[in-house]
Amino acid sequence: MSETIVKVNHMTKKFGDLLVLNDVSFDVRRGEFLCIVGPTGCGKTTFLNCITKLYEPTSGEILINDKPVDLKQDNIAYIFQEYSTMSWLTVEQNVAFGLEIKKKPKDFIKKEVDEVLEMVGLTKYRDYYPSELSTSMLQRVVIARAFAVKPQLLLMDEPYGQLDVDLRFRLEDELLNLWRQTGTTVIFITHNIEEAVYLSQNILVLTNKPTTIKARLENTLPFPRNVTSPEFIKIRSEVTDLIKWW
Amino acid sequence: MASKKKSYVWLSVLSLVVFIGIWYLACDVLKLTKASTLPGPVTVVGTFIDKLTQTAPDGATLFQHIGSSLQIAMSGWAMGVIIGTPLGIAMAWYKKIDLYARPLFDLIRPVPGLAWIPLMILLFGIGLTSKIVTVFLSAFVPCVLNSYTGIRQTKDVHLWVGQTFGASDFQMLMKIAVPTSLPLVMTGVRVALGASWTCIVAAEMLASTKGLGYMIQQARGIYRPDIIICGMITIGVIGALFSWLLTLVEKKVIKGVKR
Amino acid sequence: MTGRSLKGVGSYRKIGAAAISIAVFLLIWQLAVMFTDVGIVMVGPVEVIGRFFVSMVEPIGHDTIQMHILWSLSRVMTGFILGSVLGIVLGILMGWFRPMNALFRPLYEIIRPIPPIAWIPLSIVWFGIGEPSKYFIIFLAAFSAITMNAFAGVKAVDPELIGAARMLGANNRQVFTTIVLPSCVPHIFAGLQIAIGSSWATVVAAEMVRASQGVGWVIIRGQDSNSTVQIMVGIVAVGIVGFALAVLMRWIEARLCAWNVRGK
């Protein structure tokens, strides 16, 4: 097993004549928490969708464990911006969804689901349907569904973008806990600089269309981080300066 | 809200009582109408009780007619559901099937099921087959239409979730698209039942020797509107009953909807 | 809409596929009629289409096929217009005034589950075998479909809109004409769409039971004279007009409520 899990080589994506991603290259280390920040509408989502083959890149390649992406083999989970719980499944069945798709044995699924429900604190709500839960609970269901498959790579596309601040802080802390407990590699997309600095070990700053990588910053602040500490604010303004396009 | 609702119940009761009262007074007591045009409610109830046991004048008791109609309507409806629903699902999910089967479906879709009755009688005779095929056609169309629309309501984000977990095309169909379509599939099944019931009544009026449609058509020939009204009420009650039963099934089958 | 729709497929390919599948279907039908036992009872598409055009000049019974269509259409339109006007008025009244709902709901619920077709015998007893009995049946078909939709339309009006209007000082009448009426138009059109389909089916049935002209009569007379080709001509006419009516309704709806096109 190599140290690098994801390797993106000269990836370019065009929609017709519109150049969205221009020659993007970077690596992600195993177990790393990488945040990608950039102005709204800069092609961050396109970028993740290329990794998961929801779009085919126009040129360049993406390697996972030195091989081209194969969603049936590579264990990837993706948390989308939209609410993606399935209304016809209970919390428990929603969380088991990925494992069911991967055709794991019944008792194995039961065990994994119990474990992950406990981790996100949804055990009490296992038989509820999504329509009976609050937004924060729904977000936890989605996160539990992702962690249930023990992904080697977790992609998150502005998962907390529509939540209020208080709830976002809580879920961010929960996410960090899960990340540390499981050692999953996370690529987290956001336009919120504070969120990026709070969560990440590395920050990739993207420019506006056509998107290229403007900078890669290492963020070595110790966890748990304090958003009001001078070190935090320093990194935050550094990223902010990079992102300004006016 | 609840208390306000209650205060109008008397109006509903009153409206029914007045309706039946006027009908009773005008037809049974004052005999303003001829019994061969509009019999009163007492006459109708009397006929209804008679028809439970008597075969005159159309050769079968009410229950025999009901049984005959139900048998045909149910077989045709079941065939329509069993064939139509999967076809609608397949058309919505597989592009190739949509491209080639949809035009043929669109060809028969605007023809109401009952317009096929004479053709089917010529092709299959006046027996059961011709009626079952016609009922099948009227049930088939709404089943295809609704399951097709239902599959089309699948959310992209759910498909993406499946795809990133490595789901096969068939897994996405069975685990995401079909559950999404279920409410509309059930609507189709319910609409199909109504269509089947209408169609069998029409088929029996045109060519039959038994069944509720036959009964009311015969009663018209001999000027017995009391039997016609009995038949119509029976048809209505059975239709409403089945639609209510299906709503119960729907509630059991469709999960996770806020009620 | 899912990424799986035919959005990505060019319209040439769509038309091409449709042409191929319909051509193959007609060919199989024609060959089956020409070379197998199917030909004993069934006629081929060539003969049906040919006869359809012939019947545009040579009358079936007393009328050419387009006259039969006009007969049926005039019956549908009379009943449909009567039924929709009354259905819309009653539905809206029932939706807006709770006592009206309490008063008419029980009677409506008695009539609703009875298929309009089942009224044919009674309607003949009451109104004779002429036109009025057909108008009455089609009236019922249209009426029962539209009333419920108009009612549902009023019930679906956003209470916040009403609240906002009242806060701006609108009186009952203004709320009704500026908010309730416009927002139940889409529901009413959904009802009209169902009603026109069910009226068309009903007129065919009514003409099959008792008439001396109209498309339903063409079909049933075909059966009486063992003429499969005449039945098929009738079915083709029923299909074409049914399709045209549905398209027409959708077109009117798109013109009248462009802000709210149902579906896609």
PDB file of all heavy atoms in Angstrom, chain B residues 119 123, chain C residues 24-49 228-229 232:
ATOM      1  N   LEU B 119     -64.419  -5.336 -31.720  1.00  0.00           N
ATOM      2  CA  LEU B 119     -63.344  -6.046 -32.412  1.00  0.00           C
ATOM      3  C   LEU B 119     -63.010  -7.345 -31.678  1.00  0.00           C
ATOM      4  O   LEU B 119     -62.884  -8.412 -32.288  1.00  0.00           O
ATOM      5  CB  LEU B 119     -62.102  -5.162 -32.509  1.00  0.00           C
ATOM      6  CG  LEU B 119     -60.933  -5.808 -33.252  1.00  0.00           C
ATOM      7  CD1 LEU B 119     -61.240  -5.958 -34.730  1.00  0.00           C
ATOM      8  CD2 LEU B 119     -59.639  -5.049 -33.053  1.00  0.00           C
ATOM      9  N   LEU B 123     -63.107 -11.187 -32.886  1.00  0.00           N
ATOM     10  CA  LEU B 123     -61.901 -12.019 -32.892  1.00  0.00           C
ATOM     11  C   LEU B 123     -62.043 -13.235 -31.978  1.00  0.00           C
ATOM     12  O   LEU B 123     -61.612 -14.324 -32.309  1.00  0.00           O
ATOM     13  CB  LEU B 123     -60.674 -11.203 -32.460  1.00  0.00           C
ATOM     14  CG  LEU B 123     -60.227 -10.080 -33.389  1.00  0.00           C
ATOM     15  CD1 LEU B 123     -58.947  -9.435 -32.879  1.00  0.00           C
ATOM     16  CD2 LEU B 123     -60.001 -10.608 -34.803  1.00  0.00           C
TER      17      LEU B 123
ATOM     18  N   VAL C  24     -42.297  -1.802 -38.462  1.00  0.00           N
ATOM     19  CA  VAL C  24     -42.145  -3.236 -38.219  1.00  0.00           C
ATOM     20  C   VAL C  24     -43.467  -3.832 -37.737  1.00  0.00           C
ATOM     21  O   VAL C  24     -43.912  -4.877 -38.203  1.00  0.00           O
ATOM     22  CB  VAL C  24     -41.025  -3.493 -37.195  1.00  0.00           C
ATOM     23  CG1 VAL C  24     -41.061  -4.935 -36.706  1.00  0.00           C
ATOM     24  CG2 VAL C  24     -39.673  -3.189 -37.811  1.00  0.00           C
ATOM     25  N   PHE C  25     -44.119  -3.101 -36.833  1.00  0.00           N
ATOM     26  CA  PHE C  25     -45.389  -3.562 -36.304  1.00  0.00           C
ATOM     27  C   PHE C  25     -46.434  -3.722 -37.415  1.00  0.00           C
ATOM     28  O   PHE C  25     -47.079  -4.766 -37.549  1.00  0.00           O
ATOM     29  CB  PHE C  25     -45.886  -2.573 -35.241  1.00  0.00           C
ATOM     30  CG  PHE C  25     -47.308  -2.774 -34.826  1.00  0.00           C
ATOM     31  CD1 PHE C  25     -47.669  -3.846 -34.024  1.00  0.00           C
ATOM     32  CD2 PHE C  25     -48.301  -1.891 -35.233  1.00  0.00           C
ATOM     33  CE1 PHE C  25     -48.975  -4.027 -33.641  1.00  0.00           C
ATOM     34  CE2 PHE C  25     -49.619  -2.062 -34.848  1.00  0.00           C
ATOM     35  CZ  PHE C  25     -49.955  -3.138 -34.053  1.00  0.00           C
ATOM     36  N   LEU C  26     -46.540  -2.692 -38.271  1.00  0.00           N
ATOM     37  CA  LEU C  26     -47.521  -2.749 -39.355  1.00  0.00           C
ATOM     38  C   LEU C  26     -47.186  -3.876 -40.339  1.00  0.00           C
ATOM     39  O   LEU C  26     -48.075  -4.574 -40.829  1.00  0.00           O
ATOM     40  CB  LEU C  26     -47.579  -1.401 -40.098  1.00  0.00           C
ATOM     41  CG  LEU C  26     -48.133  -0.220 -39.297  1.00  0.00           C
ATOM     42  CD1 LEU C  26     -48.111   1.053 -40.127  1.00  0.00           C
ATOM     43  CD2 LEU C  26     -49.547  -0.509 -38.808  1.00  0.00           C
ATOM     44  N   LEU C  27     -45.883  -4.045 -40.585  1.00  0.00           N
ATOM     45  CA  LEU C  27     -45.456  -5.080 -41.527  1.00  0.00           C
ATOM     46  C   LEU C  27     -45.829  -6.465 -41.000  1.00  0.00           C
ATOM     47  O   LEU C  27     -46.393  -7.292 -41.728  1.00  0.00           O
ATOM     48  CB  LEU C  27     -43.946  -4.975 -41.744  1.00  0.00           C
ATOM     49  CG  LEU C  27     -43.409  -5.819 -42.899  1.00  0.00           C
ATOM     50  CD1 LEU C  27     -43.862  -5.235 -44.236  1.00  0.00           C
ATOM     51  CD2 LEU C  27     -41.881  -5.896 -42.852  1.00  0.00           C
ATOM     52  N   ILE C  28     -45.513  -6.713 -39.712  1.00  0.00           N
ATOM     53  CA  ILE C  28     -45.836  -8.021 -39.126  1.00  0.00           C
ATOM     54  C   ILE C  28     -47.339  -8.262 -39.200  1.00  0.00           C
ATOM     55  O   ILE C  28     -47.805  -9.332 -39.593  1.00  0.00           O
ATOM     56  CB  ILE C  28     -45.345  -8.102 -37.667  1.00  0.00           C
ATOM     57  CG1 ILE C  28     -43.818  -8.101 -37.627  1.00  0.00           C
ATOM     58  CG2 ILE C  28     -45.897  -9.354 -36.977  1.00  0.00           C
ATOM     59  CD1 ILE C  28     -43.240  -8.047 -36.245  1.00  0.00           C
ATOM     60  N   TRP C  29     -48.094  -7.229 -38.866  1.00  0.00           N
ATOM     61  CA  TRP C  29     -49.555  -7.314 -38.909  1.00  0.00           C
ATOM     62  C   TRP C  29     -50.019  -7.674 -40.326  1.00  0.00           C
ATOM     63  O   TRP C  29     -50.773  -8.617 -40.547  1.00  0.00           O
ATOM     64  CB  TRP C  29     -50.114  -5.971 -38.415  1.00  0.00           C
ATOM     65  CG  TRP C  29     -51.600  -5.821 -38.465  1.00  0.00           C
ATOM     66  CD1 TRP C  29     -52.531  -6.783 -38.723  1.00  0.00           C
ATOM     67  CD2 TRP C  29     -52.330  -4.610 -38.252  1.00  0.00           C
ATOM     68  NE1 TRP C  29     -53.792  -6.253 -38.686  1.00  0.00           N
ATOM     69  CE2 TRP C  29     -53.701  -4.923 -38.398  1.00  0.00           C
ATOM     70  CE3 TRP C  29     -51.960  -3.295 -37.944  1.00  0.00           C
ATOM     71  CZ2 TRP C  29     -54.688  -3.958 -38.259  1.00  0.00           C
ATOM     72  CZ3 TRP C  29     -52.942  -2.336 -37.805  1.00  0.00           C
ATOM     73  CH2 TRP C  29     -54.302  -2.671 -37.953  1.00  0.00           C
ATOM     74  N   GLN C  30     -49.500  -6.927 -41.306  1.00  0.00           N
ATOM     75  CA  GLN C  30     -49.901  -7.155 -42.689  1.00  0.00           C
ATOM     76  C   GLN C  30     -49.547  -8.576 -43.140  1.00  0.00           C
ATOM     77  O   GLN C  30     -50.366  -9.285 -43.727  1.00  0.00           O
ATOM     78  CB  GLN C  30     -49.221  -6.118 -43.596  1.00  0.00           C
ATOM     79  CG  GLN C  30     -49.610  -6.203 -45.063  1.00  0.00           C
ATOM     80  CD  GLN C  30     -51.059  -5.753 -45.296  1.00  0.00           C
ATOM     81  OE1 GLN C  30     -51.539  -4.844 -44.633  1.00  0.00           O
ATOM     82  NE2 GLN C  30     -51.751  -6.404 -46.204  1.00  0.00           N
ATOM     83  N   LEU C  31     -48.308  -8.992 -42.829  1.00  0.00           N
ATOM     84  CA  LEU C  31     -47.864 -10.320 -43.248  1.00  0.00           C
ATOM     85  C   LEU C  31     -48.695 -11.406 -42.569  1.00  0.00           C
ATOM     86  O   LEU C  31     -49.081 -12.390 -43.198  1.00  0.00           O
ATOM     87  CB  LEU C  31     -46.378 -10.505 -42.937  1.00  0.00           C
ATOM     88  CG  LEU C  31     -45.431  -9.652 -43.788  1.00  0.00           C
ATOM     89  CD1 LEU C  31     -43.987  -9.862 -43.361  1.00  0.00           C
ATOM     90  CD2 LEU C  31     -45.600  -9.972 -45.278  1.00  0.00           C
ATOM     91  N   ALA C  32     -48.979 -11.186 -41.274  1.00  0.00           N
ATOM     92  CA  ALA C  32     -49.770 -12.179 -40.541  1.00  0.00           C
ATOM     93  C   ALA C  32     -51.142 -12.329 -41.171  1.00  0.00           C
ATOM     94  O   ALA C  32     -51.661 -13.438 -41.314  1.00  0.00           O
ATOM     95  CB  ALA C  32     -49.894 -11.766 -39.075  1.00  0.00           C
ATOM     96  N   VAL C  33     -51.710 -11.208 -41.577  1.00  0.00           N
ATOM     97  CA  VAL C  33     -53.041 -11.264 -42.193  1.00  0.00           C
ATOM     98  C   VAL C  33     -52.982 -11.953 -43.562  1.00  0.00           C
ATOM     99  O   VAL C  33     -53.847 -12.730 -43.930  1.00  0.00           O
ATOM    100  CB  VAL C  33     -53.621  -9.834 -42.315  1.00  0.00           C
ATOM    101  CG1 VAL C  33     -54.829  -9.826 -43.232  1.00  0.00           C
ATOM    102  CG2 VAL C  33     -53.973  -9.300 -40.944  1.00  0.00           C
ATOM    103  N   MET C  34     -51.890 -11.680 -44.300  1.00  0.00           N
ATOM    104  CA  MET C  34     -51.798 -12.231 -45.648  1.00  0.00           C
ATOM    105  C   MET C  34     -51.474 -13.722 -45.656  1.00  0.00           C
ATOM    106  O   MET C  34     -51.983 -14.467 -46.486  1.00  0.00           O
ATOM    107  CB  MET C  34     -50.745 -11.468 -46.461  1.00  0.00           C
ATOM    108  CG  MET C  34     -51.225 -10.092 -46.931  1.00  0.00           C
ATOM    109  SD  MET C  34     -49.867  -9.030 -47.456  1.00  0.00           S
ATOM    110  CE  MET C  34     -49.452  -9.739 -49.026  1.00  0.00           C
ATOM    111  N   PHE C  35     -50.620 -14.160 -44.746  1.00  0.00           N
ATOM    112  CA  PHE C  35     -50.111 -15.526 -44.873  1.00  0.00           C
ATOM    113  C   PHE C  35     -50.505 -16.493 -43.757  1.00  0.00           C
ATOM    114  O   PHE C  35     -50.144 -17.652 -43.795  1.00  0.00           O
ATOM    115  CB  PHE C  35     -48.581 -15.494 -45.002  1.00  0.00           C
ATOM    116  CG  PHE C  35     -48.121 -14.752 -46.216  1.00  0.00           C
ATOM    117  CD1 PHE C  35     -47.481 -13.522 -46.104  1.00  0.00           C
ATOM    118  CD2 PHE C  35     -48.363 -15.259 -47.496  1.00  0.00           C
ATOM    119  CE1 PHE C  35     -47.067 -12.819 -47.223  1.00  0.00           C
ATOM    120  CE2 PHE C  35     -47.948 -14.570 -48.616  1.00  0.00           C
ATOM    121  CZ  PHE C  35     -47.306 -13.344 -48.485  1.00  0.00           C
ATOM    122  N   THR C  36     -51.188 -16.036 -42.725  1.00  0.00           N
ATOM    123  CA  THR C  36     -51.556 -16.972 -41.657  1.00  0.00           C
ATOM    124  C   THR C  36     -53.071 -16.971 -41.453  1.00  0.00           C
ATOM    125  O   THR C  36     -53.797 -16.225 -42.117  1.00  0.00           O
ATOM    126  CB  THR C  36     -50.894 -16.591 -40.313  1.00  0.00           C
ATOM    127  OG1 THR C  36     -51.463 -15.361 -39.868  1.00  0.00           O
ATOM    128  CG2 THR C  36     -49.394 -16.445 -40.452  1.00  0.00           C
ATOM    129  N   ASP C  37     -53.503 -17.779 -40.488  1.00  0.00           N
ATOM    130  CA  ASP C  37     -54.935 -17.895 -40.191  1.00  0.00           C
ATOM    131  C   ASP C  37     -55.524 -16.610 -39.616  1.00  0.00           C
ATOM    132  O   ASP C  37     -56.737 -16.448 -39.572  1.00  0.00           O
ATOM    133  CB  ASP C  37     -55.165 -19.035 -39.191  1.00  0.00           C
ATOM    134  CG  ASP C  37     -55.074 -20.390 -39.890  1.00  0.00           C
ATOM    135  OD1 ASP C  37     -55.009 -20.374 -41.140  1.00  0.00           O
ATOM    136  OD2 ASP C  37     -55.060 -21.417 -39.205  1.00  0.00           O
ATOM    137  N   VAL C  38     -54.642 -15.723 -39.147  1.00  0.00           N
ATOM    138  CA  VAL C  38     -55.121 -14.443 -38.610  1.00  0.00           C
ATOM    139  C   VAL C  38     -56.001 -13.754 -39.659  1.00  0.00           C
ATOM    140  O   VAL C  38     -56.991 -13.110 -39.342  1.00  0.00           O
ATOM    141  CB  VAL C  38     -53.935 -13.538 -38.230  1.00  0.00           C
ATOM    142  CG1 VAL C  38     -54.413 -12.171 -37.760  1.00  0.00           C
ATOM    143  CG2 VAL C  38     -53.097 -14.199 -37.132  1.00  0.00           C
ATOM    144  N   GLY C  39     -55.641 -13.959 -40.930  1.00  0.00           N
ATOM    145  CA  GLY C  39     -56.358 -13.312 -42.018  1.00  0.00           C
ATOM    146  C   GLY C  39     -57.826 -13.687 -42.117  1.00  0.00           C
ATOM    147  O   GLY C  39     -58.613 -12.965 -42.725  1.00  0.00           O
ATOM    148  N   ILE C  40     -58.206 -14.801 -41.514  1.00  0.00           N
ATOM    149  CA  ILE C  40     -59.612 -15.221 -41.580  1.00  0.00           C
ATOM    150  C   ILE C  40     -60.504 -14.232 -40.841  1.00  0.00           C
ATOM    151  O   ILE C  40     -61.581 -13.872 -41.299  1.00  0.00           O
ATOM    152  CB  ILE C  40     -59.791 -16.638 -40.982  1.00  0.00           C
ATOM    153  CG1 ILE C  40     -58.939 -17.632 -41.765  1.00  0.00           C
ATOM    154  CG2 ILE C  40     -61.267 -17.038 -40.988  1.00  0.00           C
ATOM    155  CD1 ILE C  40     -58.843 -18.996 -41.134  1.00  0.00           C
ATOM    156  N   VAL C  41     -60.041 -13.745 -39.674  1.00  0.00           N
ATOM    157  CA  VAL C  41     -60.881 -12.837 -38.884  1.00  0.00           C
ATOM    158  C   VAL C  41     -60.397 -11.394 -38.926  1.00  0.00           C
ATOM    159  O   VAL C  41     -61.161 -10.476 -38.665  1.00  0.00           O
ATOM    160  CB  VAL C  41     -60.936 -13.274 -37.412  1.00  0.00           C
ATOM    161  CG1 VAL C  41     -61.893 -14.448 -37.250  1.00  0.00           C
ATOM    162  CG2 VAL C  41     -59.568 -13.599 -36.863  1.00  0.00           C
ATOM    163  N   MET C  42     -59.123 -11.185 -39.222  1.00  0.00           N
ATOM    164  CA  MET C  42     -58.565  -9.843 -39.076  1.00  0.00           C
ATOM    165  C   MET C  42     -58.224  -9.277 -40.449  1.00  0.00           C
ATOM    166  O   MET C  42     -57.977 -10.021 -41.395  1.00  0.00           O
ATOM    167  CB  MET C  42     -57.305  -9.963 -38.199  1.00  0.00           C
ATOM    168  CG  MET C  42     -56.793  -8.672 -37.647  1.00  0.00           C
ATOM    169  SD  MET C  42     -58.023  -7.760 -36.688  1.00  0.00           S
ATOM    170  CE  MET C  42     -57.305  -6.139 -36.755  1.00  0.00           C
ATOM    171  N   VAL C  43     -58.237  -7.935 -40.555  1.00  0.00           N
ATOM    172  CA  VAL C  43     -57.815  -7.298 -41.799  1.00  0.00           C
ATOM    173  C   VAL C  43     -56.474  -6.616 -41.582  1.00  0.00           C
ATOM    174  O   VAL C  43     -56.118  -6.274 -40.462  1.00  0.00           O
ATOM    175  CB  VAL C  43     -58.838  -6.250 -42.280  1.00  0.00           C
ATOM    176  CG1 VAL C  43     -60.100  -6.920 -42.756  1.00  0.00           C
ATOM    177  CG2 VAL C  43     -59.123  -5.258 -41.179  1.00  0.00           C
ATOM    178  N   GLY C  44     -55.751  -6.414 -42.657  1.00  0.00           N
ATOM    179  CA  GLY C  44     -54.428  -5.808 -42.557  1.00  0.00           C
ATOM    180  C   GLY C  44     -54.484  -4.298 -42.495  1.00  0.00           C
ATOM    181  O   GLY C  44     -55.519  -3.694 -42.805  1.00  0.00           O
ATOM    182  N   PRO C  45     -53.363  -3.673 -42.108  1.00  0.00           N
ATOM    183  CA  PRO C  45     -53.324  -2.210 -41.976  1.00  0.00           C
ATOM    184  C   PRO C  45     -53.549  -1.504 -43.309  1.00  0.00           C
ATOM    185  O   PRO C  45     -54.152  -0.434 -43.339  1.00  0.00           O
ATOM    186  CB  PRO C  45     -51.918  -1.946 -41.436  1.00  0.00           C
ATOM    187  CG  PRO C  45     -51.124  -3.168 -41.722  1.00  0.00           C
ATOM    188  CD  PRO C  45     -52.086  -4.301 -41.722  1.00  0.00           C
ATOM    189  N   VAL C  46     -53.071  -2.107 -44.391  1.00  0.00           N
ATOM    190  CA  VAL C  46     -53.238  -1.467 -45.696  1.00  0.00           C
ATOM    191  C   VAL C  46     -54.721  -1.289 -46.004  1.00  0.00           C
ATOM    192  O   VAL C  46     -55.177  -0.208 -46.386  1.00  0.00           O
ATOM    193  CB  VAL C  46     -52.559  -2.306 -46.805  1.00  0.00           C
ATOM    194  CG1 VAL C  46     -52.846  -1.695 -48.179  1.00  0.00           C
ATOM    195  CG2 VAL C  46     -51.056  -2.395 -46.558  1.00  0.00           C
ATOM    196  N   GLU C  47     -55.475  -2.378 -45.776  1.00  0.00           N
ATOM    197  CA  GLU C  47     -56.911  -2.323 -46.059  1.00  0.00           C
ATOM    198  C   GLU C  47     -57.602  -1.311 -45.141  1.00  0.00           C
ATOM    199  O   GLU C  47     -58.472  -0.554 -45.580  1.00  0.00           O
ATOM    200  CB  GLU C  47     -57.505  -3.718 -45.871  1.00  0.00           C
ATOM    201  CG  GLU C  47     -58.845  -3.867 -46.568  1.00  0.00           C
ATOM    202  CD  GLU C  47     -59.468  -5.226 -46.315  1.00  0.00           C
ATOM    203  OE1 GLU C  47     -58.712  -6.162 -45.945  1.00  0.00           O
ATOM    204  OE2 GLU C  47     -60.686  -5.341 -46.457  1.00  0.00           O
ATOM    205  N   VAL C  48     -57.195  -1.306 -43.847  1.00  0.00           N
ATOM    206  CA  VAL C  48     -57.818  -0.385 -42.895  1.00  0.00           C
ATOM    207  C   VAL C  48     -57.585   1.055 -43.313  1.00  0.00           C
ATOM    208  O   VAL C  48     -58.516   1.863 -43.393  1.00  0.00           O
ATOM    209  CB  VAL C  48     -57.281  -0.618 -41.470  1.00  0.00           C
ATOM    210  CG1 VAL C  48     -57.778   0.474 -40.529  1.00  0.00           C
ATOM    211  CG2 VAL C  48     -57.691  -1.983 -40.961  1.00  0.00           C
ATOM    212  N   ILE C  49     -56.327   1.368 -43.609  1.00  0.00           N
ATOM    213  CA  ILE C  49     -56.002   2.750 -43.973  1.00  0.00           C
ATOM    214  C   ILE C  49     -56.703   3.124 -45.276  1.00  0.00           C
ATOM    215  O   ILE C  49     -57.290   4.200 -45.414  1.00  0.00           O
ATOM    216  CB  ILE C  49     -54.471   2.942 -44.073  1.00  0.00           C
ATOM    217  CG1 ILE C  49     -53.847   2.741 -42.684  1.00  0.00           C
ATOM    218  CG2 ILE C  49     -54.129   4.335 -44.599  1.00  0.00           C
ATOM    219  CD1 ILE C  49     -52.354   2.538 -42.692  1.00  0.00           C
ATOM    220  N   THR C 228     -64.859  -6.499 -39.988  1.00  0.00           N
ATOM    221  CA  THR C 228     -63.724  -6.103 -39.167  1.00  0.00           C
ATOM    222  C   THR C 228     -63.137  -4.789 -39.648  1.00  0.00           C
ATOM    223  O   THR C 228     -62.725  -3.951 -38.848  1.00  0.00           O
ATOM    224  CB  THR C 228     -62.624  -7.183 -39.214  1.00  0.00           C
ATOM    225  OG1 THR C 228     -63.249  -8.458 -39.186  1.00  0.00           O
ATOM    226  CG2 THR C 228     -61.683  -7.048 -38.054  1.00  0.00           C
ATOM    227  N   VAL C 229     -63.109  -4.618 -40.951  1.00  0.00           N
ATOM    228  CA  VAL C 229     -62.472  -3.410 -41.471  1.00  0.00           C
ATOM    229  C   VAL C 229     -63.238  -2.168 -41.031  1.00  0.00           C
ATOM    230  O   VAL C 229     -62.643  -1.147 -40.677  1.00  0.00           O
ATOM    231  CB  VAL C 229     -62.293  -3.487 -43.013  1.00  0.00           C
ATOM    232  CG1 VAL C 229     -63.608  -3.495 -43.738  1.00  0.00           C
ATOM    233  CG2 VAL C 229     -61.436  -2.339 -43.506  1.00  0.00           C
ATOM    234  N   MET C 232     -62.331  -1.437 -37.486  1.00  0.00           N
ATOM    235  CA  MET C 232     -61.000  -0.840 -37.394  1.00  0.00           C
ATOM    236  C   MET C 232     -61.010   0.617 -37.836  1.00  0.00           C
ATOM    237  O   MET C 232     -60.330   1.453 -37.246  1.00  0.00           O
ATOM    238  CB  MET C 232     -59.998  -1.641 -38.233  1.00  0.00           C
ATOM    239  CG  MET C 232     -59.568  -2.958 -37.622  1.00  0.00           C
ATOM    240  SD  MET C 232     -58.970  -2.835 -35.913  1.00  0.00           S
ATOM    241  CE  MET C 232     -57.550  -1.770 -36.136  1.00  0.00           C
TER     242      MET C 232
END
